[in-house]
Amino acid sequence: MTQPYRLPTGGRIARSRPLRFTFDGRSYEGYAGDTLASALLANGVHLVGRSFKYHRPRGILSAGSEEPNALMTIDRGAGRVTPNLRATQIELYDGLCAISQNRWPSLDFDLGAASQFVSRLLPAGFYYKTFMWPRAAWRRVYEPLIRRAAGLGKAPRAPDPDRYTNQFAHCDVLVIGAGPAGLEAALRAGRAGSSVILCDEQQELGGSLLNNSQAAERLLQYTNELRALPNVRLLRRTTAFGVFAQNFVALAERINDHLPASNKDMPRESLWQVRAERTVIATGAIERPLVFPGNDRPGVMLAHAGLAYVNRYGVLPGKQVVIATTNDDGYAVADALKAAGAEIATIVDLRRDETIAATHGGKRISSVDIRLPDNSLRRIACDLLLMSGGWTPSVHLFSQARGKLRFDVPLQCFVPDGTLDAIECVGGCAGAGLQPSPATQIVADGKSFVDFQNDVTSADIELAVREGFRSVEHIKRYTTSGMATDQGKTSNMNALAIAAATIDAPVGSVGTTTFRQPFTPVTFGTLAGLSRGALFEPVRTLPSHDWALAHGAVFEDTGQWKRASYFSLKGEGMRDAVMRECRTVRAAAGIFDASSLGKIEISGPDALTFLNRIYINDFSRLDIGRCRYALMLNEAGLAMDDGIVGRLAETRFHVTTTSGGIGHVLHHMEDFLQTEFTSLQVWLTDVTEQWSTFAVQGPRARDIVGELTTTIDLSPGSMSHMSLREGSVCDADARLMRVSFTGECGYEINVPSSEGARVWAALYESASRHDASAYGLEALNVLRAEKGYIIVGQETDGSTTPDDLGFGKMIGARKDDFVGKRSLSLAHLASSGRKQLVGLKPLDPQKMLEEGAQITLQSGAPTGSHAVGHVTTACWSAVLDRSIALALVENGRALIGSTLHVPMPNGDIPVEVTSPVFVDPAGARLHG
Amino acid sequence: MVEPVPSTRFTLGNNRAERVSILGIAPGRQFVFRGPREVADQCGAAFGVDLPASPCRANRQDGRAALRLGPDEWLLIALPDDAVLASLRHSLSRFAHALVDVSSSDAVFEIRGPSTALLLNAAIPLDLSPKTFPVDACTRTILAKVGVLLWRTEQECFRLQVARSFAAYVHDVLAEAAWGLPDA
Amino acid sequence: MLLIRCPYCETARPEVEFRHGGEALMERPRDPSRASDAEWIDYLYMRRNPKGPHAERWRHVHGCGRFFNCLRDTVSDRIVVTWRAGEPVPEVTDGDGA
């Protein structure tokens, strides 16, 4: 017979829609509307897992998100294996495949369970006390053993194939929890015309109304009215898992895990980031277990979970029922189970001085020992023990929002103390309508579990107090009570009560531990949202990108930009390609896409004054049509960025920055304009992406560019090195600069980006006619290093002054002030002994240096010796056919000609200190 | 003028296309004007559209628009063949200001349909309800990980500009988010 | 994510649109060349690190681009009030700000 414990009628399940599912390989049947837990109980399956530390058999304790025991792995195919899901929240679908956890070799026969017989050796703090020594054994022996013995499900190894999404939302009222209090709050706000979001973690709205067969009509009225309100958004299967500063609430919506086959197009989950004018927390209350020996045996269940299985799912979780209770709710549950056909063997009312002394049974409870007021024991046979120790309001979210709590003596739990500005608690989570429940302490031999998921017993907490722990935060960490994935939803109040009783202090004075996000675990996919895979980070491409793809480019990432590292012709390797590109530039010419350079147009009557205050240079004599290399310092006097300043008109300048520098350079400039130099009339416009920039460098650069323009006179007499012209190139509006980052005669063509790809293609055609080719970043790096041209961030490191770089003469001596000037005369920047830019030539010209390598004065310097400098750039010079490097070396300029040492793992590399300019020091090629 | 990105790329190929479409459109002529309020008035007179004085507002007239980006910064948009922008420099030559052609800087998307605001809110944290972000509200903001310029041109239509090298990213983020559009 | 009211855009906007600009109300010496080393180092490096209300500079970098001032409580993260650069520190009444 299938589903032997399914009641013939009743419940909210759809009996017309039977579903097949498997649990540990065995096939079962349930109904649409079931959870995995209710379907297992309908089939009489109570043993669903093994405990964390002692591998004790465990059953289903609850019917909701507080479940500590029934954790499952759900297998939805490759990459879609999710461990540690609560069976009480997993909606049944056809073909669901569930696997139990933390057992070996099988759930029924678990070798690890032997540990419970040596459990006196595993008290609180056991790990801290035992696995101390020898130190190395921790990583190799203890940790792997413990991890195997104690654990939860296994994290999947395959990449997650699902989509996830994100939704920012704003509303007047956010209601969390769709039980009776939440439904009413949402209705009130909705009727008043407010925009409302109502979320609930369950698949159906209703909360506790779902467990009340008398309330079905009322629930239907609520939900029908809510659905009809266009200003109310209902989010089912959506857990409010965190409340953050300023009433910012995060919700995790599970979109398709409840559907049979993953719809690969739909996202699996969505993160809702909600800003509400007002938040109503209606998260209800969680029933407390009782702490008595053997309270973790399968078949021991929270009383209201039993009620939910009967009334909501039409499942009788047991036929012979004992109820243990501290409050009147236990009797109502007894009535409901009796009406459903169960035999109520007895009700143990702890208020009458009765208590549970022990439970018996192997993998399912078979009897209980009841200690009567006269201290005698009575054994009663049963297959279900329902317990109610009172109610604990779900104040998690209120507490995350920094709401204050107070201890309520009649309820024996913490309740919200007042409201917050925009957050209020209603219903059970505010303590409203809960049955008073006196404090109860059951003292008896045997394992009485407090935290089921982390296997913490009352004895562990008492031991922690005996060993001197007083703060609840310390007791929590020492015993690990409340630190499992359920964060102690069912255990925290009991743990506090036991700690308080052991310390002999009132519970209210002991306080409570911190409630942390998330309320229930959230997948990493939900948190990542859209930012996965190709969308993790924007990829920016240059105007020549498609051309480069078709011409053998090998790309490298510089920030978000994809830039050609080199162009591999006929299968060339990197070194051959780079050397060929270098030789081509020096022999004929090369073209390079430099469009990622930052560009700023600076206009206004005070533009010149502003530039003089921002850069170290003096631009007072910079004529219209001329440009200049410029260095920018921060206020501490240290190099921050460099670029070219070109004068377009009396009051208009075209300024470039490094590729990655545009953001912080603009920020820096705006900072001084807006807050220090406020009287200046200057405006900055970012034109980085307005202009595509192509460098043409080499002895034939003039011939190549000459073929593309008729409006600009390129002759050296008219357009010498460091000139700027506006005109047209390839019939596009152009700003043409004669500048060089290679030491060759060179131009940078700026054209509007919409024309970039077209102009690049024309430029390549022209270049080809002059034996020139495209070159990439690697060749550029060699060409500029041969000339000793610096790259900010490579030759500078945030502690480099202009003088360190040999730029002392660039500083406008007549300027009263510029950003960073005052700092340059501070002792630590002006004293001798600073690292200065030099060149290095290994005495063995074949020997390559490594960037970042340290430099010493002596050979064979022992470890810990003072390093006088470090290598900033190292490369093979094509034109010199030898290894060269740039370096920052203490008093480096005075050391030119001497020999230093670069210690490497395979021995010292002796190097000669040289000028940083290796090629054409007189600049004949540059001005040619 | 060559469009930054072909439009066809931006039409959603799934069944949600009816509720929202993402279309790459020609940016037109665009200039940034920066200057003091008095000069902005002169600029508006010459441009034929007043430069808005209120934050985050756009004014429109006869195919021209002026969007206020900041207290001293406006974006002027005109049709590709409109000569007015080129003549502005002459009209304003006596005044201290900045006028910079940025027609090639940005890629422009038109996002249209009943679910437009929902779709944008997958990646933009602003409140885009008509109450707080009505027609002709405009602002720079963040979409996923990049800065964008957002302008509501109709109740169910937004114009979204982004620096051209981010166009593919912005499109792909919105197309991905479209799969997860919640029920409106 | 904090909401910060931009005093130029006159609306509360999400934190991701802003960039923090360090402590506010730092005075750059009017003539740096006349500042003593000690005064200059004070301006460069010495900052308060209060527990409680802290005057900070923020920039609406992905909005109007303006720098402004902000009083933020470093304990609760509450933005008490924001005001435009160069304007006097506003009188704080409870409930102001974002």
Side-chain angles (χ1 to χ4, degrees):
Chain A
M1 178 186 162
T2 65
Q3 307 192 45
Y5 289 84
R6 184 75 70 180
L7 294 166
T9 58
R12 305 179 65 85
I13 42 157
R15 289 167 199 267
S16 58
R17 289 178 53 210
L19 307 170
R20 302 296 306 178
F21 70 101
T22 65
F23 173 58
D24 280 349
R26 264 191 74 178
S27 184
Y28 298 94
E29 193 184 86
Y31 291 124
D34 264 326
T35 61
L36 176 57
S38 67
L40 285 169
L41 291 172
N43 287 280
V45 178
H46 278 253
L47 173 64
V48 293
R50 290 275 173 172
S51 74
F52 182 72
K53 200 156 94 179
Y54 305 121
H55 289 240
R56 287 167 68 102
R58 286 284 164 83
I60 295 160
L61 180 77
S62 74
S65 60
E66 70 269 33
E67 177 61 34
N69 285 339
L71 298 188
M72 298 284 173
T73 295
I74 298 296
D75 185 346
R76 291 167 68 80
R80 294 192 165 93
V81 178
T82 312
N84 305 336
L85 294 172
R86 294 156 299 281
T88 48
Q89 279 192 300
I90 299 166
E91 286 176 60
L92 204 65
Y93 56 83
D94 207 38
L96 179 138
C97 172
I99 302 155
S100 64
Q101 300 181 165
N102 200 33
R103 80 289 192 270
W104 189 82
S106 76
L107 185 57
D108 266 333
F109 177 74
D110 182 348
L111 284 176
S115 70
Q116 64 179 302
F117 301 114
V118 292
S119 62
R120 289 201 186 279
L121 303 176
L122 292 170
F126 168 71
Y127 297 148
Y128 303 124
K129 290 167 184 164
T130 311
F131 298 119
M132 294 282 288
W133 199 262
R135 210 172 178 165
W138 175 256
R139 191 166 52 85
R140 281 192 233 124
V141 184
Y142 300 148
E143 186 174 326
L145 267 178
I146 293 167
R147 288 221 182 277
R148 198 175 131 178
L152 299 163
K154 290 195 187 75
R157 284 168 172 266
D160 184 345
D162 281 312
R163 305 191 124 95
Y164 295 84
T165 192
N166 180 74
Q167 194 69 43
F168 293 100
H170 296 77
C171 61
D172 297 326
V173 183
L174 168 67
V175 181
I176 302 167
L183 288 169
E184 276 172 23
L187 267 179
R188 259 198 314 278
R191 285 175 189 148
S194 301
S195 60
V196 178
I197 294 177
L198 170 62
C199 70
D200 191 278
E201 62 182 358
Q202 300 206 52
Q203 60 267 40
E204 272 192 279
L205 304 179
S208 63
L209 295 180
L210 297 167
N211 306 336
N212 181 350
S213 41
Q214 312 298 313
E217 192 67 20
R218 185 171 142 217
L219 177 55
L220 193 65
Q221 279 174 7
Y222 278 149
T223 51
N224 281 346
E225 187 180 348
L226 282 169
R227 285 202 179 90
L229 288 169
N231 49 325
V232 176
R233 178 184 289 281
L234 304 174
L235 293 175
R236 295 175 300 149
R237 303 185 180 90
T238 303
T239 304
F241 67 83
V243 178
F244 303 85
Q246 292 173 318
N247 199 11
F248 180 58
V249 185
L251 321 176
E253 181 189 14
R254 294 169 294 280
I255 297 174
N256 72 2
D257 266 3
H258 63 288
L259 301 173
S262 233
N263 178 343
K264 290 185 178 60
D265 290 335
M266 289 285 286
R268 179 181 176 217
E269 293 173 359
S270 178
L271 176 67
W272 288 75
Q273 304 189 53
V274 182
R275 290 270 180 202
E277 291 292 318
R278 196 161 64 83
T279 297
V280 178
I281 302 177
T283 45
I286 294 169
E287 200 169 27
R288 284 198 292 277
L290 293 169
V291 181
F292 55 82
N295 63 344
D296 67 328
R297 207 172 294 283
V300 180
M301 194 181 277
L302 292 171
H304 282 74
L307 184 75
Y309 289 119
V310 169
N311 281 348
R312 179 172 177 188
Y313 300 105
V315 171
L316 198 58
K319 293 176 177 168
Q320 214 176 357
V321 184
V322 171
I323 294 177
T325 184
T326 61
N327 60 79
D328 291 352
D329 275 350
Y331 293 87
V333 172
D335 287 344
L337 266 88
K338 192 170 178 197
E343 177 206 329
I344 306 299
T346 187
I347 296 178
V348 182
D349 191 328
L350 277 73
R351 293 171 295 188
R352 291 194 306 237
D353 232 13
E354 307 166 334
T355 183
I356 307 274
T359 66
H360 304 283
K363 287 153 195 160
R364 170 95 188 256
I365 193 167
S366 58
S367 63
V368 298
D369 290 346
I370 299 168
R371 188 176 301 280
L372 298 169
D374 63 4
N375 220 19
S376 66
L377 287 176
R378 186 174 146 219
R379 181 163 297 187
I380 293 184
C382 66
D383 63 355
L384 182 69
L385 170 55
L386 296 179
M387 56 183 170
S388 177
W391 294 91
T392 305
S394 287
V395 294
H396 307 70
L397 298 176
F398 183 73
S399 181
Q400 286 174 19
R402 306 198 182 183
K404 295 259 184 300
L405 304 177
R406 68 172 174 82
F407 187 73
D408 185 288
V409 175
L411 296 176
Q412 285 292 300
C413 60
F414 286 94
V415 297
D417 190 9
T419 59
L420 292 167
D421 274 354
I423 302 179
E424 64 173 319
C425 294
V426 298
C429 79
L434 301 182
Q435 281 287 341
S437 173
T440 50
Q441 270 288 301
I442 300 173
V443 182
D445 280 343
K447 275 193 187 312
S448 305
F449 283 88
V450 176
D451 183 327
F452 294 92
Q453 198 168 109
N454 264 355
D455 262 359
V456 180
T457 66
S458 55
D460 290 329
I461 293 167
E462 289 156 10
L463 177 66
V465 173
R466 280 207 306 281
E467 291 190 2
F469 293 98
R470 289 295 179 274
S471 151
V472 289
E473 293 286 357
H474 293 159
I475 293 169
K476 164 180 158 173
R477 280 158 184 75
Y478 192 58
T479 62
T480 73
S481 180
M483 290 172 70
T485 68
D486 65 345
Q487 292 198 55
K489 289 186 179 61
T490 53
S491 64
N492 281 343
M493 266 326 298
N494 283 335
L496 290 174
I498 292 166
T502 314
I503 298 168
D504 199 18
V507 187
S509 73
V510 173
T512 180
T513 52
T514 310
F515 292 90
R516 292 195 168 82
Q517 311 95 355
F519 178 71
T520 48
V522 179
T523 65
F524 285 122
T526 299
L527 299 177
L530 299 166
S531 297
R532 304 180 70 229
L535 297 180
F536 178 68
E537 189 69 1
V539 175
R540 308 172 73 179
T541 57
L542 298 171
S544 64
H545 189 79
D546 290 344
W547 179 94
L549 271 176
H551 286 78
V554 174
F555 293 96
E556 63 183 81
D557 291 337
T558 54
Q560 294 169 330
W561 291 99
K562 289 272 176 221
R563 300 178 73 186
S565 186
Y566 57 92
F567 297 86
S568 170
L569 296 186
K570 300 175 194 129
E572 276 172 323
M574 172 165 167
R575 185 175 163 134
D576 288 345
V578 173
M579 290 303 115
R580 174 184 50 74
E581 289 171 12
C582 288
R583 284 190 300 270
T584 305
V585 170
R586 298 247 185 257
I591 61 173
F592 176 83
D593 190 341
S595 301
S596 60
L597 284 177
K599 299 152 206 116
I600 306 169
E601 191 157 321
I602 299 183
S603 328
D606 299 315
L608 176 69
T609 308
F610 176 66
L611 286 166
N612 275 337
R613 291 194 195 171
I614 283 289
Y615 288 94
I616 68 170
N617 315 63
D618 187 348
F619 299 105
S620 306
R621 295 185 188 176
L622 185 71
D623 294 329
I624 294 167
R626 299 292 297 170
C627 42
R628 189 168 293 173
Y629 173 77
L631 186 72
M632 172 185 292
L633 308 183
N634 61 19
E635 192 74 295
L638 305 170
M640 179 181 153
D641 202 76
D642 65 355
I644 301 289
V645 171
R647 192 165 198 171
L648 294 164
E650 190 63 26
T651 59
R652 244 166 10 105
F653 293 80
H654 179 99
V655 175
T656 69
T657 77
T658 55
S659 283
I662 179 69
H664 73 265
V665 167
L666 258 179
H667 185 75
H668 173 81
M669 287 180 170
E670 284 287 356
D671 191 350
F672 278 90
L673 257 187
Q674 291 181 31
T675 68
E676 295 296 343
F677 311 146
T678 49
S679 62
L680 300 186
Q681 283 201 301
V682 183
W683 296 279
L684 316 174
T685 306
D686 181 354
V687 287
T688 299
E689 300 228 19
Q690 166 69 15
W691 298 101
S692 293
T693 305
F694 305 130
V696 189
Q697 303 276 309
R700 300 178 76 172
R702 186 176 299 115
D703 303 332
I704 295 167
V705 178
E707 289 188 8
L708 305 178
T709 180
T710 54
T711 61
I712 303 172
D713 179 1
L714 300 181
S715 64
S718 161
M719 196 176 174
S720 60
H721 183 53
M722 301 308 270
S723 310
L724 163 66
R725 295 288 180 273
E726 291 183 276
S728 77
V729 171
C730 295
D731 299 321
D733 291 339
R735 289 178 180 173
L736 184 67
M737 293 197 273
R738 184 161 168 203
V739 291
S740 175
F741 198 43
T742 60
E744 299 297 325
C745 167
Y747 299 86
E748 280 181 11
I749 305 168
N750 292 281
V751 291
S753 293
S754 51
E755 309 285 350
R758 179 179 69 81
V759 172
W760 174 267
L763 180 60
Y764 178 69
E765 267 183 43
S766 173
S768 300
R769 286 192 290 273
H770 295 276
D771 304 320
S773 71
Y775 62 101
L777 268 180
E778 286 301 320
L780 176 69
N781 190 46
V782 174
L783 294 164
R784 66 94 196 168
E786 289 171 343
K787 284 291 293 180
Y789 293 149
I790 66 152
I791 290 180
V792 169
Q794 188 152 345
E795 273 66 42
T796 72
D797 63 0
S799 70
T800 314
T801 67
D803 186 63
D804 297 344
L805 297 166
F807 291 165
K809 285 185 191 148
M810 220 157 80
I811 296 173
R814 293 184 306 169
K815 296 202 292 181
D816 290 337
D817 186 25
F818 58 84
V819 176
K821 181 177 199 278
R822 176 64 184 84
S823 295
L824 293 177
S825 57
L826 292 176
H828 66 285
L829 296 189
S831 58
S832 70
R834 291 192 56 82
K835 287 185 180 180
Q836 297 169 334
L837 183 71
V838 292
L840 298 180
K841 282 182 176 172
L843 300 189
D844 174 356
Q846 301 294 314
K847 204 86 173 166
M848 288 286 289
L849 298 179
E850 280 188 26
E851 290 175 0
Q854 300 295 304
I855 300 166
T856 58
L857 287 174
Q858 313 296 333
S859 73
T863 305
S865 299
H866 177 63
V868 295
H870 64 276
V871 177
T872 58
T873 295
C875 62
W876 185 266
S877 165
V879 64
L880 302 176
D881 198 26
R882 62 158 299 142
S883 159
I884 59 168
L886 297 173
L888 286 168
V889 175
E890 287 174 10
N891 296 322
R893 289 196 286 270
L895 292 174
I896 287 174
S898 59
T899 301
L900 297 177
H901 300 270
V902 178
M904 297 300 292
N906 297 328
D908 277 2
I909 302 174
V911 294
E912 182 198 345
V913 182
T914 69
S915 148
V917 186
F918 296 92
V919 171
D920 188 25
R925 303 177 71 92
L926 192 63
H927 295 280
Chain B
M1 175 165 296
V2 180
E3 278 189 29
V5 275
S7 310
T8 48
R9 191 157 176 227
F10 299 102
T11 309
L12 272 185
N14 62 54
N15 58 2
R16 285 157 195 275
E18 308 142 39
R19 289 209 269 133
V20 62
S21 66
I22 311 168
L23 202 69
I25 61 170
R29 293 282 280 168
Q30 302 198 0
F31 278 60
V32 167
F33 170 85
R34 296 193 72 170
R37 183 66 237 179
E38 316 83 74
V39 187
D41 291 338
Q42 298 289 335
C43 181
F47 184 50
V49 180
D50 287 342
L51 273 47
S54 314
C56 304
R57 296 296 301 170
N59 285 344
R60 283 189 274 181
Q61 209 172 323
D62 304 330
R64 295 173 187 165
L67 283 64
R68 193 176 121 138
L69 305 181
D72 67 352
E73 185 176 9
W74 288 264
L75 182 69
L76 312 180
I77 304 177
L79 295 172
D81 52 358
D82 193 332
V84 69
L85 287 170
S87 69
L88 272 186
R89 197 180 297 286
H90 179 72
S91 317
L92 298 173
S93 57
R94 292 185 295 117
F95 305 102
H97 73 286
L99 188 66
V100 180
D101 186 347
V102 292
S103 307
S104 276
S105 274
D106 287 358
V108 182
F109 299 105
E110 189 182 85
I111 301 156
R112 182 182 286 281
S115 297
T116 301
L118 264 178
L119 176 68
L120 292 170
N121 268 146
I124 295 178
L126 289 181
D127 183 355
L128 298 179
S129 62
K131 192 172 62 184
T132 52
F133 205 86
V135 171
D136 280 331
C138 65
T139 186
R140 289 199 196 102
T141 185
I142 290 276
L143 184 149
K145 296 188 178 179
V146 302
V148 297
L149 170 59
L150 185 68
W151 171 22
R152 185 175 221 146
T153 52
E154 299 168 35
Q155 196 72 14
E156 293 184 352
C157 183
F158 286 79
R159 187 178 150 117
L160 180 72
Q161 293 200 186
V162 64
R164 55 193 300 129
S165 68
F166 290 116
Y169 171 80
V170 164
H171 167 265
D172 293 352
V173 165
L174 292 177
E176 175 73 11
W179 291 108
L181 274 183
D183 297 326
Chain C
M1 187 168 24
L2 295 177
L3 277 181
I4 300 168
R5 184 186 154 84
C6 172
Y8 293 94
C9 293
E10 297 170 5
T11 48
R13 306 281 290 246
E15 185 184 349
V16 289
E17 291 182 358
F18 296 86
R19 179 168 164 176
H20 191 263
E23 184 172 333
L25 314 178
M26 301 295 302
E27 194 95 33
R28 188 179 197 258
R30 197 154 291 279
D31 182 355
S33 65
R34 287 170 185 253
S36 69
D37 281 5
E39 282 166 348
W40 188 250
I41 283 170
D42 211 48
Y43 159 70
L44 277 184
Y45 299 116
M46 302 312 284
R47 297 292 183 269
R48 298 166 67 236
N49 185 20
K51 181 178 179 181
H54 184 33
E56 299 173 332
R57 298 185 332 137
W58 287 76
R59 182 178 177 220
H60 196 189
V61 59
H62 293 292
C64 65
R66 306 308 291 183
F67 282 84
F68 60 90
N69 296 316
C70 167
L71 198 64
R72 183 178 63 94
D73 190 314
T74 59
V75 177
S76 65
D77 235 4
R78 194 168 88 93
I79 309 278
V80 182
V81 68
T82 58
W83 69 99
R84 297 182 180 199
E87 289 184 356
V89 183
E91 299 240 346
V92 176
T93 55
D94 205 48
D96 263 3

